[in-house]
Amino acid sequence: EVDSTTLVSSSSITPDFDAANNFSLTLDHDTTLENPGTPDPVPGQSGCIVITQGDLGPFTMTYGTEWLFEEKEEPLLSTTTGYVDNLVYYVAAVDKIHAVLLKDFG
């Protein structure tokens, strides 16, 4: 069984890592991907957030303090309507989520 949950676009999104490991999101707002909600994520948990640029984009995403990226640089999303980015993550500790953005799946 595949666990996947649809996230609702808004100015602030808090993924529930207790509900699923994988998520989909059509982005219709500039948003902040907040740190996961309660309960804390489980170290060793991993998954993917599939992000599609909505029709009125491009929209941007910033990240909560627990999201950590290569060279400490927050990645920029694709800017073409309908393009898909995959935010792949691994929970290294309850307050450290290592992530990489795979971009431009048209």
Side-chain angles (χ1 to χ4, degrees), residues 55-74:
D55 292 337
L56 301 175
F59 297 102
T60 62
M61 181 177 284
T62 58
Y63 303 86
T65 57
E66 295 175 5
W67 293 93
L68 305 173
F69 298 95
E70 184 177 22
E71 298 182 6
K72 299 180 182 176
E73 293 285 331
E74 287 189 359

Side-chain angles (χ1 to χ4, degrees), residues 17 35-37 39-46 65-68 89-99:
F17 282 9
N35 299 329
D40 288 330
V42 177
Q45 183 175 359
S46 62
T65 57
E66 295 175 5
W67 293 93
L68 305 173
Y89 71 89
Y90 174 80
V91 178
V94 295
D95 61 347
K96 290 181 174 48
I97 304 166
H98 297 178

